[in-house]
Amino acid sequence: MRFHDLIRMIILVLTGTLLVLVGATNASAQSTVPRYGFRIVGTYPHSVDAFTQGLFFHEGFLYEGTGKRGRSSLSKRRLEDISVEQSATLPRRYFGEGIERVNDRVYQLTWTSHMVFVYDLDSFEQVATHYNPTQGWGLAWDGELLILSDGSYELQFINPLNFVSQRKVAVTLNGNPIDNLNELEYINGEVWANVWQTDFILRIDPATGRVNSIVDLTGLSEQTELGSAEAVLNGIAWDAAQERLFVTGKHWANLFEIELISP
């Protein structure tokens, strides 16, 4: 079996496992773990070349972190315009991952290099680095601690001053651990997490790790141009001021503002 065929098989198994768990949730625990649909309320341009790893919205601007060695970057732009207002490029040896704002700083993870880059929010000047002992996937901030995903079923809660983990929580759906947690966003007291290679976003209780509900975005990728075989859902941004929810994917030609449809 060729290597990429083996990887595809592993992905299908993992995705199938989550689908089974979601199906069980729908059938036996609908009252406790609801499953939301969506409607599109706005469509915006997005670079189909961007391997989206992290996303957040702040004061009218969209900030995005991208991956791939030699193509990893941090950028700032307006929703309506695909042109970049400001950017910083990672050295070629680094594979960029999730990003998050902490006050006047922006943190950017790397995948397997254990490096965390810290930038000034206004100038994008690099002002610090930290060591991350795990892989870096997604990043969020609850107003006190950074929240990190590393591709496993655990979330780490990290002191942003020294990047030392304060605690961990296992993410579970109906008692089953859910791994491949990827891009994160903190919204109204919950951690929202993309599950890699699926159309699902999990809404997680940060205290217990239990999945409160599931957002099923099946069909959203059909509403945009996809730029590669790796063009999967990944990217959540929350505009707290106007209570707007944005989602996109790796190598997607559009970013979408969506509203949830109650189950």
Side-chain angles (χ1 to χ4, degrees), residues 165-185:
S165 180
Q166 306 298 294
R167 68 181 182 93
K168 297 180 181 180
V169 66
V171 174
T172 59
L173 173 60
N174 289 341
N176 298 283
I178 303 296
D179 57 9
N180 284 310
L181 302 175
N182 203 356
E183 217 273 300
L184 306 177
E185 186 80 359

Side-chain angles (χ1 to χ4, degrees), residues 14-260:
L14 292 172
T15 303
T17 300
L18 182 57
L19 283 168
V20 169
L21 291 173
V22 170
T25 296
N26 239 18
S28 64
Q30 184 69 33
S31 61
T32 57
V33 187
R35 182 176 175 180
Y36 288 86
F38 71 96
R39 66 169 62 91
I40 298 172
V41 297
T43 302
Y44 303 92
H46 181 254
S47 174
V48 75
D49 295 325
F51 194 75
T52 305
Q53 301 285 63
L55 207 64
F56 69 82
F57 188 87
H58 178 63
E59 294 185 347
F61 291 95
L62 187 74
Y63 294 76
E64 183 170 19
T66 63
K68 297 289 187 181
R69 289 184 175 86
R71 300 175 61 185
S72 296
S73 67
L74 170 69
S75 64
K76 170 186 175 181
R77 67 175 180 86
R78 298 187 185 276
L79 277 176
E80 298 79 8
D81 187 356
I82 200 170
S83 63
V84 173
E85 295 219 352
Q86 199 168 358
S87 67
T89 302
L90 271 66
R92 294 186 61 85
R93 65 183 179 277
Y94 294 115
F95 194 118
E97 284 281 349
I99 63 169
E100 184 54 278
R101 181 185 68 87
V102 177
N103 299 320
D104 61 352
R105 297 288 186 261
V106 179
Y107 288 68
Q108 184 172 28
L109 299 173
T110 57
W111 179 26
T112 56
S113 300
H114 305 294
M115 288 289 293
V116 183
F117 295 98
V118 185
Y119 306 89
D120 178 84
L121 176 66
D122 294 327
S123 68
F124 276 23
E125 177 187 356
Q126 184 182 317
V127 294
T129 59
H130 293 290
Y131 176 77
N132 171 30
T134 69
Q135 289 191 9
W137 285 43
L139 203 58
W141 186 46
D142 65 7
E144 180 181 356
L145 297 174
L146 283 164
I147 307 166
L148 179 142
S149 61
D150 60 9
S152 72
Y153 60 85
E154 289 187 323
L155 296 176
Q156 295 189 59
F157 293 77
I158 292 172
N159 184 335
L161 297 179
N162 55 18
F163 221 79
V164 173
S165 180
Q166 306 298 294
R167 68 181 182 93
K168 297 180 181 180
V169 66
V171 174
T172 59
L173 173 60
N174 289 341
N176 298 283
I178 303 296
D179 57 9
N180 284 310
L181 302 175
N182 203 356
E183 217 273 300
L184 306 177
E185 186 80 359
Y186 188 79
I187 304 175
N188 295 332
E190 293 181 323
V191 181
W192 292 42
N194 281 121
V195 182
W196 184 54
Q197 292 283 355
T198 79
D199 294 313
F200 301 119
I201 294 174
L202 305 183
R203 297 170 59 177
I204 303 161
D205 182 335
T208 65
R210 288 194 296 266
V211 174
N212 291 331
S213 61
I214 299 162
V215 180
D216 186 348
L217 298 184
T218 300
L220 183 60
S221 64
E222 299 170 7
Q223 306 303 311
T224 188
E225 175 190 350
L226 305 179
S228 77
E230 297 177 293
V232 296
L233 180 74
N234 199 54
I236 312 166
W238 174 245
D239 176 7
Q242 299 187 50
E243 297 189 336
R244 295 186 295 174
L245 177 62
F246 303 100
V247 294
T248 191
K250 305 173 188 289
H251 296 314
W252 283 22
N254 293 100
L255 175 137
F256 298 97
E257 180 185 348
I258 62 171
E259 291 180 347
L260 301 190

